[in-house]
Amino acid sequence: VSYGIANALKHAFPSLCILVNMRDEAAFERSLLLCPGIHMNTLHRPGGVSAVLPVGVYILDCETYPQTLLYELKYRHVVRSPPAHTFECYSREFMEPLHQIRERAVFQQEVSLSNSSCWWQCDDALGLIARSMARHRFCVVDGFLPQGVYQALSATLHCFHRDGALTPGTQYYKLEHRHGPSVGPDLLSDQAEPRKWNMRTESLIYCQDADPRAPALSELGAAADAVIAALREGGPDGDAECARRLRHTRFREPHLCACYPGEQRGRHARHVDNDSEWLHRTITAIIYLNDGWTKDNGGEFRLYGPEPTGTSVAYDVLPVANRMLFFWATDDCPHEVLHCNADRFAISLIYVDGRRSIRDASGRGAWRVLRELIPTLPLSRDEAIRLSAGSEQEALKLFAEAQSCAGVALASSGSPVPCRQCGALSCEGAVGASEFAGWYCRACWKLWEAEHVAAQ
């Protein structure tokens, strides 16, 4: 059976397959010299068919479950990298003008890369970002963060990786329990075998803006939020496509800090970010943290054409240091992360439509708005909920649910009340007693609770 399968594959894909009889140990060893790190004993199975891909990962049980190998062969047969002129045209239209704006800003000392200012906060740059999103579905912005912020983020993520704070993605999402040899090919293994084929091979951790382990995350969030706020208005030119897509984008998910391990030839197979109806994701921003990265390291972000099953590649983005990538999270932006041979670090911020979330029929979208999602700056949660709601009545209902979730009360009037401590208007808070009588916003109330616990 194994001979028949191997010969059939060679006949169907003659330019892609090289057959090696495992009984010919000399030929077998010579073939493995091209893929260091994979051992003969791993592949040698009497009567079995194993495969080794050029990127250095292996596939077992091809005689029983040929789907994985067929997928890889068909992929290599039909998918081609974009022609060189694609990169040249995009660079000339967008990346070079953005680079010139950045260089001019630095030269004129309008901003300093050593402080928190960002050179792209001008109409010319934001206009280019909006036009790129509208025309090409993505935008690449190099040198996005001030150098000090970038270095702090890079050091933090490398520290997470070194200290074992990152969890393999298939374990984090419990994906390894959804597939297995008993029901089909092992598409999502537990990543315990470094070179074994896997649909996604990243390790990750989710962090809030105020995570004390990563103080620079708040600056990344603020910078990305500023771009999204500009795009939500259509940019300085009022681009209708951006404004339509982001009209109610008032929230984002916690920072997704990830490493694609080079030893495991990290990758993430083709997908879209808004892959469940209740997520209501609209746009994704990714900052890359890879000093000295070259094309030889692989790991490109590959964006396909807008067709759900199309094989045309629109653009490959190399994950170089301090490069920010924006792209739509919707079905018209299928993409993948190609295999890498060095540790590949990135932080993703995924933005969410607030109105669609709070009206989600399953209730899961509203749950995320009230408990999990982060309001985009400069909005407070109250303001983001009010803007996402379709009416004041709907907003008040959500405020009440938010207070219940937070374990604090709703102002009796149902309207924002000034906090006795800080003076901020908010529906979210609690009433003090005795000498502390009065309304306190949630932030001040939680601060008092923390101080009280510390004092005890």
Side-chain angles (χ1 to χ4, degrees):
V1 175
S2 59
Y3 281 111
I5 292 173
N7 284 317
L9 291 171
K10 177 65 175 177
H11 177 75
F13 303 97
S15 64
L16 298 176
C17 292
I18 299 174
L19 301 186
V20 179
N21 190 329
M22 293 185 181
R23 293 178 181 176
D24 187 345
E25 292 190 8
F28 193 21
E29 289 179 354
R30 284 196 302 271
S31 66
L32 288 182
L33 289 176
L34 302 174
C35 301
I38 299 179
H39 302 289
M40 180 185 295
N41 292 340
T42 303
L43 304 179
H44 193 283
R45 296 177 303 110
V49 178
S50 303
V52 178
L53 304 182
V55 292
V57 299
Y58 63 85
I59 306 171
L60 302 180
D61 303 315
C62 298
E63 74 283 3
T64 305
Y65 303 115
Q67 299 98 315
T68 300
L69 180 55
L70 285 172
Y71 166 82
E72 290 289 349
L73 289 169
K74 289 179 180 178
Y75 176 95
R76 283 161 174 76
H77 184 65
V78 300
V79 175
R80 294 290 180 271
S81 299
H85 68 79
T86 299
F87 302 98
E88 294 167 0
C89 291
Y90 183 81
S91 179
R92 185 167 55 251
E93 187 179 5
F94 294 103
M95 295 184 69
E96 291 177 9
L98 284 169
H99 176 74
Q100 291 168 5
I101 292 170
R102 180 173 182 266
E103 290 296 302
R104 187 169 61 247
V106 174
F107 180 75
Q108 296 173 347
Q109 296 184 346
E110 295 174 353
V111 298
S112 170
L113 296 186
S114 63
N115 63 24
S116 60
S117 299
C118 292
W119 60 268
W120 41 261
Q121 288 183 312
C122 64
D123 285 352
D124 288 346
L126 292 171
L128 284 165
I129 295 172
R131 287 194 292 276
S132 180
M133 293 299 302
R135 296 178 189 177
H136 300 287
R137 300 171 294 134
F138 75 97
C139 185
V140 176
V141 184
D142 284 333
F144 183 75
L145 291 172
Q147 191 62 21
V149 177
Y150 166 79
Q151 290 173 341
L153 284 174
S154 179
T156 295
L157 194 43
H158 280 77
C159 184
F160 282 165
H161 179 54
R162 184 184 65 248
D163 295 345
L166 305 180
T167 302
T170 50
Q171 294 178 20
Y172 186 94
Y173 297 117
K174 297 181 173 58
L175 296 176
E176 74 273 17
H177 300 306
R178 302 182 190 178
H179 303 271
S182 61
V183 295
D186 192 6
L187 303 180
L188 291 159
S189 66
D190 62 4
Q191 300 175 220
E193 301 172 71
R195 296 294 184 85
K196 188 176 181 182
W197 188 95
N198 209 323
M199 288 188 68
R200 57 185 302 178
T201 322
E202 88 276 40
S203 295
L204 58 93
I205 187 173
Y206 280 96
C207 296
Q208 296 289 335
D209 278 15
D211 193 313
R213 299 169 298 176
L217 284 176
S218 61
E219 296 187 66
L220 171 62
D225 287 357
V227 175
I228 301 306
L231 294 179
R232 191 169 56 237
E233 302 303 320
D237 300 326
D239 184 90
E241 175 70 2
C242 292
R244 178 186 66 81
R245 286 178 178 261
L246 300 177
R247 181 181 179 187
H248 298 296
T249 298
R250 311 281 183 184
F251 294 90
R252 59 176 161 85
E253 298 178 359
H255 301 263
L256 171 54
C257 304
C259 171
Y260 291 78
E263 175 58 26
Q264 296 182 1
R265 299 299 188 263
R267 61 88 66 98
H268 193 167
R270 178 171 170 154
H271 64 285
V272 295
D273 283 357
N274 191 47
D275 54 1
S276 295
E277 292 183 355
W278 52 272
L279 290 173
H280 304 292
R281 294 165 169 171
T282 57
I283 188 172
T284 299
I286 303 177
I287 187 75
Y288 295 114
L289 309 164
N290 305 299
D291 294 327
W293 197 270
T294 70
K295 191 170 180 59
D296 291 340
N297 297 127
E300 292 92 339
F301 170 95
R302 170 162 286 180
L303 178 67
Y304 288 89
E307 304 81 12
T309 58
T311 58
S312 62
V313 177
Y315 206 83
D316 285 344
V317 179
L318 203 63
V320 299
N322 207 5
R323 170 170 283 178
M324 186 69 144
L325 171 67
F326 297 93
F327 61 95
W328 302 126
T330 43
D331 290 347
D332 58 343
C333 276
H335 59 278
E336 67 177 320
V337 176
L338 303 185
H339 292 277
C340 60
N341 59 26
D343 292 343
R344 178 189 186 274
F345 295 93
I347 300 176
S348 300
L349 299 91
I350 305 180
Y351 289 80
V352 176
D353 187 301
R355 178 160 296 181
R356 290 181 180 176
S357 293
I358 63 178
R359 294 182 176 180
D360 181 75
S362 71
R364 299 176 76 176
W367 186 94
R368 280 173 23 105
V369 165
L370 300 179
R371 295 171 172 81
E372 177 182 281
L373 299 179
I374 301 168
T376 57
L377 296 173
L379 300 176
S380 65
R381 186 171 297 275
D382 285 2
E383 291 168 333
I385 289 175
R386 178 168 270 110
L387 289 168
S388 298
S391 66
E392 184 65 16
Q393 183 178 5
E394 185 176 23
L396 291 175
K397 179 181 178 182
L398 288 165
F399 288 149
E401 294 180 21
Q403 315 317 312
S404 176
C405 295
V408 292
L410 175 70
S412 58
S413 64
S415 300
V417 175
C419 172
R420 177 182 171 183
Q421 182 80 15
C422 68
L425 290 173
S426 178
C427 291
E428 201 172 340
V431 177
S434 301
E435 69 269 28
F436 302 107
W439 174 258
Y440 295 86
C441 71
R442 183 188 180 197
C444 291
W445 189 267
K446 292 296 183 182
L447 181 62
W448 177 85
E449 285 184 334
E451 292 175 346
H452 182 67
V453 170
Q456 289 181 329

